[in-house]
Amino acid sequence: MRIESSRRLRGPNRYVARPVQVTRVLLDGLTGRESSDYPGFAERLVAAFPGLTEHHCAFGEPGGFVRRLVGGTYFGHTAEHVAIELSQRIGRHVNFGRTEGTGVPGEYDVVTECPLDEPPDSRLAEALLSLAITGVLAALRGEPVRCEDELAVLRGTYEREKSGPSTAAIADAARERGIPVERVGELSLLRLGYGRHRRLVWAALTDQTSAIGVDIASDKELTRRLLDEAGVPVPSGGAATSSPRP
């Protein structure tokens, strides 16, 4: 079982009205096999991830996923639930997941929810699913499932990427009022509304002052990104990798 590709759907989509990560997973040697085909696998997996006992799955009540696991379910679905459990462990609270076949044997799209204001280019969802696959394969082999070191790294990444308290409070208050909110990359810069009604908020500042404009113009990469998103042609750029000759 391995990841082939992954992509982020930033807004409402055919799965749910929140951002999701869609990851193409290939089952390889596990194609057509179910969790019930491996004696003791379900018990080992639940022992490694006790929080799985609280997952509802299609039964709509705690313990639903474990019932599926014992009765037999495909391994893409199993990895999906473990990834959601790992996300909860690092404080990244999401609940929605879905696994769909692509029509090709052994090929599935694993869909996992992402926090509303997580940067669109964040690799956390894919990294969590990759770690989940590692844990599932270890449990299949009867090996100890060890993931705390990797989780500590991902927890640190999540803490760095998530919105600060002020930014999160502004985003929550806007959504309570029905105002569309989009975070710009990993910054504390928020877009509120669309078109002529759009406003920018950066920390405790709004675009009713010139301060935000000055901050944006002072950041070449951010300026280039915003112009490109608005459809304005801009030259590509990047950090220099060599120094000029003396």
Side-chain angles (χ1 to χ4, degrees):
M1 183 164 52
R2 56 192 170 88
I3 290 175
E4 182 184 58
S5 61
S6 192
R7 61 193 176 98
R8 177 72 61 97
L9 303 182
R10 296 171 55 181
N13 50 79
R14 73 183 185 90
Y15 302 105
V16 69
R18 300 181 296 279
V20 296
Q21 192 82 11
V22 183
T23 305
R24 181 67 51 85
V25 173
L26 305 182
L27 297 188
D28 292 336
L30 295 174
T31 300
R33 306 300 298 273
E34 297 189 8
S35 54
S36 56
D37 295 335
Y38 298 85
F41 167 70
E43 291 76 11
R44 291 193 296 272
L45 193 70
V46 172
F49 304 105
L52 293 175
T53 59
E54 298 299 317
H55 289 214
H56 291 205
C57 201
F59 289 95
E61 61 184 9
F65 172 67
V66 174
R67 289 167 63 186
R68 288 287 305 277
L69 192 64
V70 173
T73 189
Y74 289 127
F75 285 94
H77 181 222
T78 302
E80 167 212 318
H81 276 270
V82 175
I84 292 173
E85 179 60 26
L86 290 173
S87 183
Q88 296 283 357
R89 281 195 185 186
I90 65 173
R92 182 178 175 270
H93 298 299
V94 297
N95 297 293
F96 175 82
R98 179 174 296 172
T99 300
E100 296 185 338
T102 66
V104 177
E107 187 176 274
Y108 290 83
D109 283 336
V110 177
V111 182
T112 50
E113 181 185 356
C114 299
L116 285 171
D117 295 318
E118 187 169 82
D121 59 352
S122 173
R123 308 301 297 180
L124 267 175
E126 183 181 352
L128 287 163
L129 181 58
S130 178
L131 185 57
I133 289 173
T134 300
V136 169
L137 293 177
L140 271 174
R141 294 189 294 264
E143 300 172 355
V145 179
R146 299 188 178 96
C147 60
E148 289 308 317
D149 290 344
E150 292 86 348
L151 271 184
V153 174
L154 295 180
R155 186 179 294 109
T157 300
Y158 172 65
E159 291 296 328
R160 289 192 301 273
E161 288 186 350
K162 73 177 184 179
S163 299
S166 298
T167 303
I170 293 171
D172 290 343
R175 291 188 176 104
E176 287 177 1
R177 291 163 173 78
I179 301 171
V181 180
E182 183 180 24
R183 184 181 175 194
V184 178
E186 72 287 352
L187 302 172
S188 296
L189 178 62
L190 299 176
R191 293 191 186 100
L192 307 182
Y194 300 119
R196 67 187 183 89
H197 299 291
R198 190 197 72 171
R199 289 291 179 265
L200 295 177
V201 177
W202 198 332
L205 298 173
T206 76
D207 61 2
Q208 291 182 318
T209 75
S210 59
I212 288 182
V214 171
D215 285 343
I216 291 174
S218 299
D219 187 326
K220 293 181 180 179
E221 288 298 326
L222 177 58
T223 300
R224 186 182 294 112
R225 183 197 308 176
L226 294 179
L227 290 174
D228 181 63
E229 289 177 355
V232 178
V234 291
S236 59
T241 57
S242 61
S243 58
R245 294 182 179 178

